[in-house]
Amino acid sequence: MSNSKGVVYFISGELLGKISPFLLLPFLTRYLGVEEFGELSIYQAYITIIMVVVGMSQDKFILTTFYRDKGGVGLFSAVVLYVLLSVSLLVLLALIIESKGLLIVSLSAGAQTLFFSTMIYLQCLNRYFLYFVACILQGVGGVVLTVFVFEYVGVGVFERLWLVVLVNLLCAFFIIIMIYSKSSVGLFKDLGIYLKQLMVFGGGLLLYQISVVTKGQLDRLLVAEFFDKESMGLYALSVQLSTALVVVLMAVNKVLIPVYYNYIQQGRMTNNKMKRYFIISLIIVPIPALAVYIMPAAILPFIFGDEYIGVTEITVRILLGVGLMVPYMFLLNTLLYFKKNTYISLVSILSAVVYILLFYFLSGFGLLAAAYSLFLANVFIVFLFWRAVTSFSLFEKGGV
């Protein structure tokens, strides 16, 4: 299969698989109501926090190790083993302290991490069609099961979370079986070496991942602390809608990383090209927020329910910050390729501190003001990343 056709499969699978849960949003917001939807968002925040420990930047580890060090199937086995061991320890802790919340959060974090890691490895192997099928099964399967359970079994936050665990585990093990069926030799080759490399690599990016989680999830916990449950539900829906853009950007980024790294490896990137691409990425930043701003404010409450009046204004402000992920990911991928992990972590944690302080301060002026925090914090980190890329002189001067 040609590379161009493979890229189409990757992008199509990512978009169809990731868009499916967003099509479920009107169903969830109406069935759960604004307050329970806000509660679901808080659990999702904790799941993402646990995924930092369970994940250990496995997506980046698999990509860099596979392309730079020619990692084999033992690399994949090491990643799967680490996820299973770390989740087992968390589940054991949950059972000891009899915490239903920690149990479901740990299982959900582990299931999602396992699925995402297996999908990254499929991408490395260029298993185009299998990647496409797995995306559809995970996305569409989750939607179908949720609708069925809510209609005929029961409606609730925990029901939704258990469905997430089930769908991701089934899809992950399906991929694992397919990968091992094609790689019967060397399944555990250099397993110990890869495990140590994963710990070192993930540990080096731990501060970076903590900062990402802080900016992406801590705001929900702060909203729950400073505002009422209705505001929490409105903010949660705004974040979910903005996440639709994040999903699209991450899907495109996931597909383009190998292409970009090959481009760098061939010596085709120059300082002038870097500046040109950076400027283009900045032009894209305000487009999503502008599109929602010119949209009639009554449309979103009509779709998601009358309880969600005011969600449009919050969404516009959050989208400004999300739009900055375009130049952010471009610069981040560049710095990762040149192993500037320590710098990335330090700047990212500094940006997270700035974000927390901004959110805390702006919350005093209301929820709409607090929603600008992500934009301001992302301006800060994009500026520092750009300074780093230019000052490190990573590319040859000149070029067009």
Side-chain angles (χ1 to χ4, degrees):
M1 187 181 295
S2 65
N3 287 334
S4 59
K5 190 174 182 180
V7 169
V8 171
Y9 267 118
F10 278 135
I11 295 179
S12 300
E14 280 287 318
L15 293 181
L16 290 174
K18 301 300 184 184
I19 287 175
S20 297
F22 289 102
L23 299 178
L24 188 64
L25 270 180
F27 181 83
L28 289 175
T29 55
R30 291 177 181 275
Y31 265 71
L32 294 176
V34 65
E35 293 189 4
E36 267 200 298
F37 187 76
E39 182 185 352
L40 175 63
S41 178
I42 293 175
Y43 274 104
Q44 290 171 336
Y46 284 120
I47 289 170
T48 307
I49 292 171
I50 296 294
M51 287 178 71
V52 173
V53 178
V54 175
M56 289 293 282
S57 301
Q58 289 177 12
D59 55 341
K60 299 174 181 62
F61 174 71
I62 293 172
L63 282 169
T64 54
T65 304
F66 186 90
Y67 283 101
R68 191 182 63 231
D69 302 329
K70 306 300 180 184
V73 70
L75 160 67
F76 177 71
S77 298
V79 168
V80 172
L81 179 61
Y82 175 80
V83 174
L84 294 178
L85 288 175
S86 58
V87 173
S88 297
L89 291 175
L90 289 171
V91 168
L92 180 62
L93 175 62
L95 293 175
I96 291 174
I97 65 176
E98 298 182 351
S99 173
K100 183 180 178 182
L102 178 59
L103 177 64
I104 187 63
V105 165
S106 301
L107 287 173
S108 184
Q112 292 181 66
T113 301
L114 194 61
F115 175 75
F116 295 147
S117 296
T118 55
M119 293 295 281
I120 289 289
Y121 193 69
L122 274 185
Q123 182 184 358
C124 294
L125 295 176
N126 293 328
R127 300 285 294 274
Y128 305 121
F129 185 70
L130 181 57
Y131 188 96
F132 176 80
V133 171
C135 285
I136 301 302
L137 288 176
Q138 192 256 3
V140 178
V143 172
V144 172
L145 276 177
T146 299
V147 173
F148 176 81
V149 170
F150 274 35
E151 286 285 352
Y152 300 105
V153 180
V155 178
V157 172
F158 276 85
E159 283 78 1
R160 170 59 182 166
L161 294 175
W162 279 114
L163 287 171
V164 170
V165 174
L166 177 62
V167 171
N168 281 279
L169 274 182
L170 289 176
C171 292
F173 283 119
F174 166 72
I175 299 171
I176 291 172
I177 292 172
M178 296 300 292
I179 289 175
Y180 282 164
S181 67
K182 296 288 185 178
S183 308
S184 58
V185 179
L187 297 182
F188 305 106
K189 184 180 179 180
D190 299 326
L191 183 65
I193 295 175
Y194 285 128
L195 279 172
K196 291 178 182 179
Q197 289 179 350
L198 173 61
M199 298 300 294
V200 173
F201 184 93
L205 287 173
L206 192 58
L207 290 178
Y208 159 74
Q209 291 291 356
I210 291 173
S211 70
V212 171
V213 168
T214 299
K215 290 199 294 184
Q217 308 300 326
L218 190 60
D219 53 351
R220 305 185 198 187
L221 304 182
L222 291 175
V223 169
E225 180 70 23
F226 295 141
F227 300 96
D228 56 28
K229 291 184 177 180
E230 183 177 349
S231 298
M232 178 66 243
L234 289 174
Y235 189 84
L237 179 57
S238 298
V239 170
Q240 290 275 32
L241 293 174
S242 301
T243 304
L245 176 60
V246 176
V247 167
V248 173
L249 294 177
M250 294 299 290
V252 175
N253 182 63
K254 186 184 295 184
V255 172
L256 293 181
I257 284 178
V259 178
Y260 180 52
Y261 282 178
N262 282 329
Y263 192 75
I264 297 175
Q265 195 174 41
Q266 294 168 8
R268 298 166 62 187
M269 179 62 75
T270 64
N271 285 335
N272 286 341
K273 287 182 179 179
M274 187 76 190
K275 292 176 183 178
R276 185 197 311 163
Y277 296 148
F278 179 67
I279 292 173
I280 293 173
S281 70
L282 290 177
I283 294 173
I284 299 173
V285 169
I287 295 177
L290 182 61
V292 175
Y293 178 77
I294 63 179
M295 181 179 69
I299 289 182
L300 292 182
F302 174 76
I303 296 173
F304 298 102
D306 295 335
E307 295 178 278
Y308 295 91
I309 294 175
V311 71
T312 304
E313 291 82 356
I314 303 173
T315 304
V316 169
R317 288 156 176 79
I318 296 177
L319 279 174
L320 282 173
V322 173
L324 277 166
M325 284 188 65
V326 178
Y328 166 80
M329 288 189 297
F330 175 54
L331 298 173
L332 174 65
N333 292 335
T334 305
L335 292 172
L336 282 172
Y337 181 86
F338 290 99
K339 300 182 181 180
K340 304 298 181 180
N341 294 10
T342 302
Y343 180 83
I344 291 171
S345 296
L346 292 175
V347 172
S348 297
I349 201 69
L350 180 60
S351 173
V353 172
V354 170
Y355 174 71
I356 295 172
L357 294 176
L358 283 170
F359 200 97
Y360 184 85
F361 173 75
L362 293 176
S363 293
F365 298 93
L367 189 57
L368 289 177
Y372 280 117
S373 303
L374 182 63
F375 172 74
L376 296 174
N378 281 351
V379 168
F380 176 77
I381 195 170
V382 167
F383 171 75
L384 291 182
F385 273 7
W386 174 248
R387 287 289 302 272
V389 169
T390 54
S391 63
F392 287 152
S393 300
L394 302 178
F395 304 107
E396 294 293 333
K397 297 182 177 179
V400 293

